[in-house]
Amino acid sequence: QVRLVESGGGLVQAGGSLRLSCAASGRGFSINAMGWYRQVPEKKRELVASISTTSGHKTYADSVKGRFTISRDNRKNTVYLQMNSLKPEDTAVYYCNVDYLIVGVPTNYWGKGTQVTVSS
């Protein structure tokens, strides 16, 4: 089973920046993709950005294009989300997600989440 450790959340003023990190560890798995989702109270969890391990293809929500950048360090099994020009509407709990194979079976796993709060 994969284990995820998230970090980098916090409180920042509008226009500021944060960088989220998510490190995967464990044995016997192969990661296909990693990404970040976010959720606010009373709303559904939504994709922010994701990156494929094999192709490097990146996907972004329209609301964050040009402001957020997702990247990956394959040697460390770590994904990063650089968030610039933050807005109050970016306030949410951000969750790391990993899509991986264990003994050839596709599996998903979620981190515990890290709070991002942007003040005006």
Side-chain angles (χ1 to χ4, degrees):
Q1 182 76 4
V2 67
R3 182 174 181 174
L4 301 179
V5 178
E6 301 157 307
S7 63
L11 174 64
V12 66
Q13 293 183 352
S17 298
L18 289 172
R19 188 177 74 161
L20 305 183
S21 299
C22 177
S25 62
R27 300 183 66 181
F29 66 90
S30 177
I31 297 176
N32 291 330
M34 298 183 73
W36 287 94
Y37 292 68
R38 66 187 182 189
Q39 186 172 21
V40 299
E42 302 180 356
K43 292 189 176 181
K44 298 181 182 296
R45 190 172 299 183
E46 298 181 341
L47 172 69
V48 178
S50 65
I51 183 169
S52 169
T53 300
T54 55
S55 69
H57 182 263
K58 301 175 183 179
T59 300
Y60 294 97
D62 289 340
S63 60
V64 306
K65 288 182 178 178
R67 299 189 298 120
F68 292 8
T69 302
I70 191 168
S71 61
R72 173 176 168 81
D73 185 337
N74 289 336
R75 295 179 64 87
K76 298 180 179 180
N77 284 328
T78 300
V79 65
Y80 305 95
L81 184 67
Q82 179 66 45
M83 304 185 293
N84 298 327
S85 301
L86 283 163
K87 304 175 180 179
E89 50 263 44
D90 294 318
T91 296
V93 177
Y94 285 69
Y95 296 90
C96 180
N97 175 264
V98 59
D99 177 23
Y100 66 100
L101 300 176
I102 183 166
V103 294
V105 179
T107 309
N108 288 98
Y109 191 79
W110 293 94
K112 297 298 183 181
T114 183
Q115 177 70 47
V116 172
T117 302
V118 184
S119 62
S120 61

